[in-house]
Amino acid sequence: MERSNFTFLVEFILLGFSDLPKLQSLIFGILLVTYMSILIGNGLLIVITKINPTLQTPMYFFLANFSFLEICYTSVTLPRMLRDIWTQKGNIPFLSCAIQACSLYILGVAECLLLVAMAYDRYVAICKPLYYPVIMNHKVCIQLVIASWFTGMPAQIGVTYQIFSLNFCGSNKLNHIFCDASPLLEVACGDTYQKELSVHISALFFVMIPFLLILISYVKIIATILKLPSTSGKSKAFSTCSSHLMVVGLFYGSVCIVYLRPKSKNSGKSDKFYSLFYTIVTPVLNPMIYSLRNKDVINALKNIIPK
């Protein structure tokens, strides 16, 4: 039999920020502070929504789950990034790389769908206030959260399997900060068009469809708010939605740029930058956005911090 030219890789090497050797200490410090801020900020939001009686509503139930999802999402990437910078080694075993990529995709889809559930909650609260307690009962809220976590799981496991079933040859160095489809396809052998197409279709389906659902919800929400007779009513309605819209804009903006824009030879560095937005910047800003723009959360924080 003819000998195959393909070699099964035991591990990959994540280049990360190795192209910035003089800034390694600074980057490590920034990432460490950021990770601690994400854990403390989102953890605090989870605690106050559980123990404060005034925050026992569907909106804060979804917010607590979203905060927990943010902690899980960053914990998949940030600890290893910190370890790589500390040890100056970016080695990651083949299986660990596959698990990291699959976890990111599953959690990313869960975040998209949970943002849809949060938008639907605001739609019912503003557009159908009389039916809100009936429609958004506790059972429905739990079902929406479970659906958000598990709906995309089979598809993302399938996408991950397709990517890692490719033959990898030549360099095993990935010009990225974590294992992702784009850098993996760059070092794969042969024609990767079919696999790349499946990644883009999956991203289009699980990113754009939820985004369109959120957009439709907010078109109806804004139309309803504009019909309100009082200025104070309009202001209060807008304030309850603005925080969610800011998080949606940050997350979807960076995800769409990374996964849906055409690739070029020099897109590696920009991909790292945009990836930091939806894996780090959005999770660290989430508690600030919801606490600084929400009087109920601020009051809950004032009650719990002295204790």
Side-chain angles (χ1 to χ4, degrees):
M1 291 178 67
E2 194 174 304
R3 184 182 292 274
S4 174
N5 291 325
F6 300 127
T7 304
F8 181 78
L9 292 179
V10 178
E11 65 177 13
F12 291 103
I13 298 173
L14 292 167
L15 296 180
F17 302 101
S18 59
D19 55 334
L20 302 169
K22 295 181 180 179
L23 299 176
Q24 294 292 300
S25 298
L26 178 62
I27 294 171
F28 179 85
I30 292 171
L31 292 180
L32 181 61
V33 171
T34 302
Y35 187 48
M36 295 305 296
S37 300
I38 290 168
L39 294 179
I40 294 169
N42 286 284
L44 194 58
L45 267 181
I46 294 170
V47 170
I48 63 172
T49 54
K50 292 296 181 184
I51 66 173
N52 194 294
T54 60
L55 303 182
Q56 303 298 311
T57 63
M59 184 175 79
Y60 295 109
F61 173 76
F62 289 125
L63 179 57
N65 280 277
F66 187 75
S67 295
F68 177 69
L69 185 58
E70 296 282 51
I71 290 173
C72 295
Y73 199 71
T74 52
S75 296
V76 173
T77 56
L78 259 177
R80 179 166 281 278
M81 287 166 60
L82 291 167
R83 170 253 185 197
D84 291 347
I85 296 172
W86 182 263
T87 60
Q88 295 295 300
K89 294 178 182 179
N91 303 57
I92 180 169
F94 187 89
L95 182 59
S96 297
C97 189
I99 292 171
Q100 185 186 60
C102 189
S103 300
L104 273 174
Y105 300 152
I106 290 171
L107 292 171
V109 169
E111 189 157 343
C112 291
L113 297 177
L114 193 55
L115 286 170
V116 174
M118 294 169 78
Y120 177 68
D121 171 69
R122 292 299 83 209
Y123 163 75
V124 176
I126 293 172
C127 299
K128 299 181 179 181
L130 297 178
Y131 298 99
Y132 183 71
V134 178
I135 296 174
M136 297 304 296
N137 59 67
H138 189 63
K139 183 180 178 181
V140 170
C141 292
I142 292 174
Q143 288 173 344
L144 287 171
V145 168
I146 292 173
S148 299
W149 276 90
F150 293 102
T151 298
M153 193 174 289
Q156 299 314 307
I157 292 173
V159 168
T160 307
Y161 175 77
Q162 284 191 338
I163 294 170
F164 284 87
S165 63
L166 288 167
N167 290 306
F168 297 97
C169 58
S171 175
N172 64 339
K173 295 179 180 178
L174 305 179
N175 187 22
H176 209 50
I177 53 178
F178 52 79
C179 290
D180 202 0
S182 298
L184 286 163
L185 290 169
E186 286 177 8
V187 298
C189 299
D191 185 14
T192 61
Y193 176 76
Q194 294 289 340
K195 309 294 184 182
E196 194 169 349
L197 184 63
S198 67
V199 171
H200 281 283
I201 290 172
S202 177
L204 190 67
F205 186 81
F206 286 106
V207 174
M208 293 310 297
I209 289 179
F211 179 72
L212 289 174
L213 291 173
I214 292 171
L215 194 63
I216 291 168
S217 297
Y218 274 100
V219 167
K220 293 184 178 182
I221 287 169
I222 291 170
T224 303
I225 290 173
L226 293 175
K227 293 177 184 178
L228 294 175
S230 65
T231 307
S232 60
K234 290 180 181 178
S235 178
K236 185 178 179 180
F238 272 120
S239 66
T240 60
C241 299
S242 58
S243 300
H244 182 247
L245 277 174
M246 289 174 70
V247 172
V248 168
L250 279 171
F251 179 77
Y252 274 99
S254 53
V255 168
C256 289
I257 290 171
V258 171
Y259 290 103
L260 300 180
R261 70 186 174 94
K263 296 295 177 184
S264 64
K265 291 182 180 179
N266 300 317
S267 62
K269 289 185 178 180
S270 57
D271 279 356
K272 292 180 191 179
F273 173 74
Y274 290 121
S275 296
L276 283 175
F277 260 90
Y278 68 85
T279 56
I280 296 174
V281 177
T282 303
V284 79
L285 290 179
N286 175 52
M288 298 179 192
I289 291 170
Y290 276 100
S291 60
L292 295 176
R293 300 182 61 85
N294 193 305
K295 291 180 180 179
D296 292 333
V297 175
I298 291 172
N299 291 332
L301 283 170
K302 286 179 181 178
N303 292 332
I304 195 174
I305 287 173
K307 297 176 183 178

